[in-house]
Amino acid sequence: MTYPPNVRTAPEHTRARPPAPATEPVPPQRGAWSATVEQLRAAATTEPGRLRIVGAVLALLVVAFGAVTAFEIADRASAADDVVGRSQPLSADAAAIYRSLADADTTAASGFLAGAQEPRDVHDRYARDIKEASRLLVKAAANTDTSTKSGHEITTLNEELPRYTGLIERARANNRQGLPLGGAYLRYANQQMTNVLLPAAERLYAAETGKLGRDNDAARAWPFFSLGLGVVALAALFWAQRRNYRRTNRVFNHGLLVATAASTVVLLWLAVGHTVARSELHAADVNGQQSLDVLNHARIDSLKARANENLTLVARGAVLTPDGRNDKYETDYTTDMKALGEELRRAGKLAADDEQGSGPVTKAVDAVSEWQGRHRTARTADDGGDYEGARTQIIGPKDSTGESFERVDDALERALAHEQDEFTRAAKDGRGALGGLPIGAAALAALAAVAAIVGVNRRLSEYR
């Protein structure tokens, strides 16, 4: 007979267990960001918490305003410094290279016309032109990356200039011996100058002038981000002071007042300083660089016209235009003189309100008119078979086209010197208007941030 097991003696695993007590569910862990947001929300429900948030926001705004201002103005000051110290000097050097090469070609032709014994002063002038062009090319190469367009043109000029001088020396050697081959070498040299060297020099000048224009534009660009952030910072400071007045009925909070004053100074300094810089850099461009560009082209046109005038007599009709109807050098002379007249008219308009600038331009215009009249006299003599008479009209010591050309060249040189001074003065004034602003903005912004925090803490102390 089987009996049911005794409960008391039953194995432990068979005994009934009492139900486990109920436990509360564990809340999920919140992230650090959620906790921070919750703390800020809780703090914002109290006035001390709200004041802390206001102080932090004000400090952040004025610090950001100062930092952005310092960065943007430092960038514009750097561009203005490039305008004064790098871009414009390189542009001026490129123009001087062009002028030196053109003058060397003109002088070589004048010396050849003088006969077997080239005048000493003509030879020295040619040598100075070649030396000056070589020196400026070395200087430009030292300040230019060879991979750039300017670097490529400088390389071309350095390679081709010795070939040109070699042709000139061969022309001189043959001319001293009375050989007609000297004229051919001189024409080849002129072709080398006209077709290779001068175009490369012109491209170099255009590249450097373009870089100058870009630097000028970068220096004059408005710092909109800085101005906008400054307005926002000031608006926030005014709002904070108005909020303080409405809650405490106190007109001034010294800390916030100092922060507002410092931010206002930065904003006004930024607006006025950059406006002055823009104005001066604009004046440097309009009254300086644009006039320099026109005058440089005018002087180069006069040099090219003089070279072609000389070569007309050297070639004696041996070189014709592609259609075979006219003398090539005489045709080129006419073209160059027409371009010279147009450039002088432009220069006169640009310098109309500046007596020191317009005076030399007026003298150049008068000398050009005189030059053209004497040239017509020389061409009449040459066409009539009087070569010696024509040569005297071209290179003679008195009442010659050479004398008129020198007057044009001297007048343009004086005009260029004046416009260069105008550009340098205005550009330096523009650069100076930005001086100290980056450091000053950063320092005043730091002062404003500290003052804002001190002002807010003064209010917080009333709750302790």
Side-chain angles (χ1 to χ4, degrees):
M1 183 174 178
T2 303
Y3 297 94
N6 191 336
V7 175
R8 293 181 181 178
T9 61
E12 184 176 354
H13 67 276
T14 63
R15 299 177 186 174
R17 294 188 178 92
T23 59
E24 296 181 0
V26 179
Q29 294 291 331
R30 290 184 299 174
W33 174 252
S34 299
T36 302
V37 171
E38 187 62 30
Q39 291 174 1
L40 289 174
R41 185 181 293 116
T45 60
T46 64
E47 181 60 15
R50 286 191 288 267
L51 284 173
R52 291 188 181 93
I53 294 173
V54 168
V57 170
L58 292 177
L60 180 63
L61 279 175
V62 294
V63 167
F65 172 41
V68 171
T69 299
F71 175 79
E72 286 196 322
I73 296 303
D75 181 67
R76 282 148 181 79
S78 177
D81 192 60
D82 284 342
V83 167
V84 176
R86 187 178 183 280
S87 302
Q88 206 284 326
L90 284 176
S91 175
D93 286 348
I97 290 170
Y98 198 145
R99 289 196 305 270
S100 296
L101 293 174
D103 191 64
D105 194 51
T106 300
T107 305
S110 297
F112 192 92
L113 270 181
Q117 296 300 321
E118 183 179 30
R120 185 65 184 177
D121 60 335
V122 175
H123 182 276
D124 291 344
R125 179 169 177 170
Y126 168 84
R128 284 195 304 271
D129 286 334
I130 296 299
K131 183 178 180 180
E132 179 68 3
S134 300
R135 182 187 71 81
L136 292 174
L137 283 171
V138 171
K139 179 182 176 183
N143 293 281
T144 305
D145 187 351
T146 56
S147 63
T148 63
K149 184 176 180 180
S150 294
H152 175 72
E153 303 301 343
I154 290 170
T155 300
T156 299
L157 289 166
N158 279 321
E159 291 175 350
E160 298 297 333
L161 184 56
R163 298 176 185 174
Y164 170 80
T165 56
L167 289 170
I168 291 295
E169 292 307 318
R170 291 184 182 183
R172 284 173 171 167
N174 283 276
N175 192 40
R176 282 193 294 267
Q177 299 176 47
L179 299 176
L181 193 59
Y185 275 119
L186 183 66
R187 293 195 299 272
Y188 294 153
N190 175 261
Q191 290 175 9
Q192 178 79 2
M193 178 64 73
T194 303
N195 298 331
V196 180
L197 287 167
L198 289 183
E202 187 172 15
R203 290 192 297 270
L204 174 62
Y205 174 68
E208 294 302 332
T209 303
K211 178 65 168 57
L212 171 60
R214 290 190 294 274
D215 286 340
N216 192 294
D217 290 341
R220 294 173 56 209
W222 277 106
F224 289 112
F225 195 25
S226 298
L227 292 169
L229 199 54
V231 172
V232 171
L234 277 178
L237 285 165
F238 280 116
W239 172 84
Q241 291 178 87
R242 184 172 181 273
R243 180 182 184 278
N244 180 66
Y245 170 73
R246 293 180 64 183
R247 280 168 170 73
T248 65
N249 206 30
R250 295 173 183 172
V251 177
F252 296 119
N253 177 292
H254 292 161
L256 294 179
L257 191 62
V258 170
T260 303
S263 298
T264 301
V265 169
V266 174
L267 187 59
L268 289 176
W269 190 359
L270 170 64
V272 174
H274 195 270
T275 299
V276 172
R278 278 178 57 87
S279 176
E280 292 295 340
L281 289 170
H282 177 72
D285 179 52
V286 174
N287 300 327
Q289 184 54 37
Q290 290 185 23
S291 296
L292 283 171
D293 186 55
V294 172
L295 291 169
N296 277 321
H297 281 96
R299 196 176 185 193
I300 290 165
D301 287 334
S302 70
L303 290 166
K304 290 164 63 177
R306 178 60 178 167
N308 285 314
E309 182 179 53
N310 291 334
L311 286 167
T312 301
L313 285 184
V314 172
R316 298 189 181 185
V319 182
L320 301 178
T321 55
D323 59 12
R325 296 180 179 178
N326 300 301
D327 184 284
K328 176 184 181 303
Y329 296 117
E330 178 65 19
T331 301
D332 289 345
Y333 162 85
T334 302
T335 302
D336 293 332
M337 290 299 284
K338 181 179 179 181
L340 173 59
E342 292 175 354
E343 297 292 349
L344 288 176
R345 280 192 290 273
R346 290 181 58 197
K349 291 179 180 179
L350 288 171
D353 58 346
D354 183 0
E355 180 59 32
Q356 288 182 301
S358 62
V361 173
T362 301
K363 291 181 179 179
V365 171
D366 294 339
V368 166
S369 179
E370 179 186 72
W371 181 2
Q372 290 172 323
R374 291 176 176 179
H375 177 82
R376 286 190 293 269
T377 302
R379 292 312 311 149
T380 299
D382 189 35
D383 293 340
D386 184 6
Y387 175 79
E388 288 301 323
R391 191 168 73 100
T392 302
Q393 285 288 330
I394 297 297
I395 63 171
K398 188 176 181 181
D399 297 333
S400 65
T401 61
E403 186 179 42
S404 300
F405 161 74
E406 291 296 338
R407 290 177 182 172
V408 173
D409 196 60
D410 290 344
L412 291 176
E413 186 175 11
R414 290 196 303 273
L416 280 166
H418 172 71
E419 296 302 330
Q420 182 65 56
D421 290 342
E422 289 287 296
F423 175 90
T424 302
R425 179 196 57 77
K428 285 184 176 180
D429 288 345
R431 180 182 62 179
L434 299 175
L437 181 53
I439 295 176
L444 288 171
L447 171 64
V450 172
I453 292 173
V454 170
V456 171
N457 285 339
R458 182 67 180 272
R459 285 280 297 115
L460 283 172
S461 66
E462 298 173 1
Y463 291 89
R464 296 169 186 164

